[in-house]
């Protein structure tokens, strides 16, 4: 799939989706949201690891303010960005975000929806929405707290604090930090290739249990494990492991 707002490429071990509005620092407009829904529909039907990045040295500088200014209370209740980002987060295989330059507002919330975030030294990430008379309502208020903890989440959401790449790494918002986007993308590719070597059913089950509420454990883990224990792929992989061990 190729679109003006979101370029989607099949890279074999993963799907690469690039936010491609560099003249707007990849601000998220309705065209991007529609493209994300189209991409999610494809990955829900045919699960693959997704790598998200932005073109032109930025991930996404926020939502498109010109469009956001015209949205109404009904639009807020519809959760235009929220629903798209929740769908990204719920994809069956891992989502990896490469964060370079401006990653603000809605762009930060899209980044928070990824499972793994890789940053660069140029990264600036945060939620300045209250300065525009709105709140960060597309995931920051609950997802950021789970990622970085109550204190950092409160300072970002309540004060509009913008974190540098080093600060985001220290807070655990990104788990890798690189000098530039090329190095960050190379790490994303390496992670995607590592995932591709695993059993897809086990990866998808791992993502489901990781996202389950605390009250669902341990039963959700045991249920998923019971399915995998009876799978031919589990038997094949364990047999191959034991045969390799015997040959050493």
């Amino acid at each position: 799939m190729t679109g003006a707002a979101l370029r989607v490429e099949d890279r074999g071990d993963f799907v690469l989706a690039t936010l491609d509005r560099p003249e707007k620092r990849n601000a998220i407009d309705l065209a991007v949201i529609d493209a994300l829904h189209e991409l999610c529909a494809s990955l829900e039907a045919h699960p693959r690891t997704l790598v998200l990045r932005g073109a032109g040295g930025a991930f996404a500088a926020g939502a498109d303010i010109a469009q956001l200014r015209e949205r109404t209370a009904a639009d807020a209740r519809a959760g235009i960005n929220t629903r798209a980002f929740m769908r990204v987060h719920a994809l069956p295989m891992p989502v990896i975000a490469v964060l370079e330059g401006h990653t603000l507002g809605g762009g930060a919330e899209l980044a928070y929806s990824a499972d793994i975030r890789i940053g660069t030294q140029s990264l600036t990430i945060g939620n300045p929405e209250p300065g525009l008379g709105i709140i960060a309502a597309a995931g920051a208020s609950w997802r950021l707290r789970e990622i970085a903890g109550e204190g950092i989440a409160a300072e970002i959401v309540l004060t509009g604090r913008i974190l540098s790449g080093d600060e985001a790494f220290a807070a655990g918002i990104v788990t890798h930090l690189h000098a530039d986007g090329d190095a960050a993308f190379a790490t994303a590719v390496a992670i995607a290739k590592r995932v591709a070597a695993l059993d897809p059913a086990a990866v998808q089950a791992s993502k489901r249990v990781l996202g389950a509420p605390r009250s669902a454990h341990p039963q959700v883990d045991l249920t998923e494990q019971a399915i995998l224990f009876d799978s031919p792929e589990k038997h094949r992989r364990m047999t191959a492991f034991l045969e390799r061990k015997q040959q050493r």
Side-chain angles (χ1 to χ4, degrees):
M1 295 180 291
T2 303
L6 189 71
R7 285 190 285 111
V8 180
E9 306 167 54
D10 187 333
R11 292 293 185 94
D13 291 325
F14 63 95
V15 171
L16 172 63
T18 304
L19 298 163
D20 196 13
R21 302 182 71 212
E23 74 286 355
K24 299 286 189 179
R25 292 190 292 190
N26 304 321
I28 297 170
D29 64 358
L30 284 174
V32 173
I33 294 299
D34 289 344
L36 284 172
H37 280 297
E38 182 181 352
L39 173 61
C40 286
S42 174
L43 292 174
E44 289 159 358
H46 305 285
R48 305 275 296 285
T49 294
L50 172 63
V51 175
L52 283 169
R53 71 181 307 190
F59 181 70
D64 189 301
I65 302 302
Q67 288 190 4
L68 203 58
R69 184 181 61 181
E70 304 307 315
R71 290 185 186 173
T72 65
D75 293 320
R77 293 188 183 96
I80 294 169
N81 290 6
T82 305
R83 304 301 175 194
F85 300 166
M86 290 177 69
R87 197 172 179 184
V88 169
H89 184 69
L91 285 170
M93 291 289 282
V95 179
I96 305 166
V98 177
L99 308 180
E100 185 178 7
H102 292 301
T103 305
L104 303 172
E109 290 179 299
L110 175 57
Y112 304 151
S113 74
D115 300 296
I116 300 166
R117 285 163 297 280
I118 300 166
T120 64
Q121 291 290 345
S122 68
L123 174 63
T124 55
I125 185 168
N127 292 92
E129 283 91 340
L132 295 170
I134 59 174
I135 67 170
S141 63
W142 74 90
R143 201 164 279 136
L144 184 56
R145 181 172 53 191
E146 296 169 352
I147 294 167
E150 192 85 32
I152 289 291
E155 191 165 351
I156 290 171
V157 172
L158 298 179
T159 76
R161 178 183 171 189
I162 305 300
L163 273 59
S164 67
D166 287 325
E167 290 170 328
F169 180 69
I173 295 173
V174 298
T175 53
H176 302 261
L177 190 67
H178 292 282
D180 56 44
D182 290 341
F185 180 63
T187 293
V189 171
I191 293 172
K193 288 182 178 293
R194 190 187 314 154
V195 172
L198 307 175
D199 174 19
V203 173
Q204 291 173 45
S206 297
K207 182 163 179 177
R208 286 193 293 270
V209 299
L210 193 61
R214 179 65 182 85
S215 60
H217 298 281
Q219 191 55 51
V220 65
D221 308 74
L222 303 181
T223 299
E224 294 284 1
Q225 191 77 300
I227 295 168
L228 293 169
F229 267 22
D230 284 341
S231 72
E233 184 64 9
K234 170 248 186 179
H235 187 270
R236 185 192 72 78
R237 284 176 176 262
M238 290 192 177
T239 300
F241 173 84
L242 292 171
E243 289 174 350
R244 288 194 302 272
K245 190 174 181 180
Q246 289 173 352
Q247 293 169 3
R248 289 173 184 167

